[in-house]
Amino acid sequence: MSLQEHVTAVFTEKYGTTPSLVVQAPGRVNLIGEHTDYNDGFVLPMAIDRGIWLALRPRDDDQVSVHSLDFGVTAVFHLNDLQHTKSGWGEYIKGVAWALQEAGYTLHGWEGVMAGNVPKGAGLSSSAALELATARAFQQVSRFAWDAAQMAKLSQKAENKWVGVNCGIMDQMISAAGEADHALLIDCRSLETQLVPLPPALDGSGTAVVILDTTTRRGLVDSAYNERRQQCEAAAAHFGVPALRDVSISEFLAEADNLDPVTRRRAKHVITENLRTLNAAKAMQNADADLLGQLMNESHISMRDDFEITNNELNIMVAVAQTQRGCFGARMTGGGFGGCAVALVHEGVVDGFVTAVAQQYQQQTGLSPKIYVCQPSAGAAVVAHN
Ligand code: GLA
């Protein structure tokens, strides 16, 4: 049974009637453009075929009630009386309600059942999926127009201000605006987007995006993430610009000796990563899988040596992936310090790739990886209407 069927069946049993609608929002994997979003730069993620499904019906009052099949718990709150309770998935839903109301939307209550299959804590944005599924639910029952960029911004606000996680805009934006069969180049300053297709291999076969979960988890991630943000802000201040997006490579090189070594490395990563991301989008448009793969490899080196956000397992995973036949390129993906790598692989050899990488990674680390071959998928949408 698919998750859509599952939430529909549980809803029907619980409420004695079919849900009025089912909404879905995806997790994501970032192909390239890491730690560039909060520098007003460029990112190139794709929504994946894993996400959160939510079967629901409107209520006549201001109550929101959501039962999570994954946690076996129901979250209940009132739109006219939003209060923080202990942390947990319910706070993301409440946070989106708060951000929407702060922005002036008049919201209606609803009740529903949800379930998801984005691995949690792996860096595949299960929280953005939850936020955008919630935004879709409110948009439907409250009958306002869907504006993907606006919903992404308000979901990010929910996460920043209500939940208290200092993330950028990438995860929410791709979960809101992704399209099937495409990755999305996002300008994180203007929020303009451009769809780009996955490039075919030279022999005309397709390429596959493979997510390689090291199963290591980021420890003190918030402090390390926030530290990187501060270092980037300090670098931008040194150049006298609003964000590192505004510093060209030649401006950086002319000034590099006057930066302290850490700030220099951080700035170098962001400035070169923005260029790599724009070049990667062009490579995809030119159907150049080799160039895209090469840029992914370079991105990994930059994150390893200059931004310093990889760990040993990520470096091993990426090295193992890169040496396989049919692998165009690989890099760590997401916030870093653990979590997943992503590889671009010739479609014809994916099965062998998965087996070999799993075996060699396990041999070198003693850990069994989790591997997901993913399809580029659509952003938050209504997937059933009754
Ligand atoms: C996390 C954040 C994103 C982005 C990435 C790094 O996923 O949520 O906003 O900063 O890290 O690229």
Side-chain angles (χ1 to χ4, degrees):
M1 197 193 282
S2 69
L3 281 185
Q4 183 176 332
E5 288 162 350
H6 192 198
V7 293
T8 304
V10 175
F11 182 102
T12 306
E13 197 185 305
K14 189 173 157 82
Y15 295 103
T17 173
T18 49
S20 316
L21 68 152
V22 182
V23 296
Q24 191 265 357
R28 64 97 185 91
V29 64
N30 190 19
L31 297 180
I32 195 164
E34 220 65 81
H35 286 260
T36 44
D37 61 353
Y38 56 79
N39 288 296
D40 279 2
F42 299 94
V43 294
L44 189 42
M46 67 175 219
I48 57 175
D49 49 340
R50 288 174 170 268
I52 289 189
W53 281 258
L54 176 52
L56 68 135
R57 68 173 177 188
R59 286 178 60 101
D60 292 334
D61 57 13
D62 79 328
Q63 182 176 301
V64 174
S65 164
V66 193
H67 182 71
S68 162
L69 293 176
D70 301 322
F71 295 99
V73 179
T74 304
V76 181
F77 61 88
H78 291 271
L79 291 165
N80 293 328
D81 183 26
L82 293 175
Q83 307 275 346
H84 278 98
T85 45
K86 58 180 176 11
S87 61
W89 58 273
E91 291 306 291
Y92 289 85
I93 297 177
K94 223 184 275 173
V96 171
W98 168 79
L100 286 166
Q101 292 192 139
E102 284 276 297
Y105 290 93
T106 304
L107 300 185
H108 294 278
W110 48 272
E111 55 202 1
V113 173
M114 72 173 201
N117 58 5
V118 185
K120 287 164 200 69
L124 301 176
S125 295
S126 56
S127 46
L130 175 54
E131 290 153 11
L132 272 302
T134 302
R136 256 299 181 199
F138 277 119
Q139 180 259 335
Q140 287 291 308
V141 301
S142 312
R143 298 180 183 283
F144 55 83
W146 179 257
D147 173 340
Q150 170 76 343
M151 292 302 113
K153 276 197 268 188
L154 293 175
S155 295
Q156 182 201 15
K157 182 176 176 184
E159 186 147 349
N160 290 167
K161 300 269 158 58
W162 188 273
V163 182
V165 176
N166 202 14
C167 60
I169 190 69
M170 168 170 71
D171 308 342
Q172 289 76 18
M173 197 56 199
I174 183 65
S175 186
E179 295 264 355
D181 304 323
H182 291 82
L184 199 63
L185 176 68
I186 304 170
D187 177 335
C188 296
R189 174 170 277 167
S190 67
L191 295 189
E192 272 163 36
T193 60
Q194 197 184 320
L195 289 169
V196 280
L198 284 183
L202 261 189
D203 62 7
S205 313
T207 50
V209 172
V210 185
I211 296 175
L212 307 162
D213 185 355
T214 61
T215 72
T216 61
R217 294 293 177 257
R218 18 179 221 193
L220 293 168
V221 63
D222 284 355
S223 56
Y225 185 88
N226 291 336
E227 184 191 54
R228 293 302 182 286
R229 285 190 74 140
Q230 280 156 16
Q231 290 165 335
C232 291
E233 279 161 24
H238 179 97
F239 285 96
V241 293
L244 281 178
R245 149 76 173 269
D246 302 305
V247 181
S248 71
I249 193 83
S250 51
E251 284 163 341
F252 167 73
L253 290 173
E255 193 56 25
D257 287 346
N258 298 326
L259 292 167
D260 73 82
V262 172
T263 312
R264 188 191 310 146
R265 289 201 299 276
R266 304 298 187 254
K268 182 180 163 209
H269 165 73
V270 172
I271 294 163
T272 57
E273 184 80 349
N274 275 329
L275 284 175
R276 281 188 291 273
T277 305
L278 291 171
N279 287 336
K282 275 189 215 133
M284 292 171 85
Q285 271 145 359
N286 295 337
D288 191 341
D290 285 318
L291 179 56
L292 174 60
Q294 188 189 318
L295 291 163
M296 291 169 76
N297 293 345
E298 287 169 13
S299 169
H300 186 79
I301 294 171
S302 180
M303 291 186 286
R304 187 190 65 195
D305 298 346
D306 289 332
F307 217 61
E308 297 175 285
I309 51 171
T310 66
N311 65 4
N312 206 21
E313 288 80 2
L314 282 164
N315 293 331
I316 291 174
M317 184 70 95
V318 165
V320 164
Q322 285 170 344
T323 52
Q324 305 304 320
R325 193 173 62 88
C327 178
F328 293 96
R331 58 187 284 281
M332 71 136 260
T333 182
F337 309 101
C340 296
V342 60
L344 185 72
V345 182
H346 189 294
E347 211 170 51
V349 301
V350 169
D351 291 347
F353 173 86
V354 170
T355 313
V357 170
Q359 194 199 1
Q360 290 168 31
Y361 176 77
Q362 184 156 16
Q363 235 162 33
Q364 292 184 43
T365 61
L367 301 169
S368 334
K370 293 221 155 39
I371 302 187
Y372 312 100
V373 181
C374 285
Q375 303 303 325
S377 301
V382 179
V383 290
H385 232 139
N386 293 316

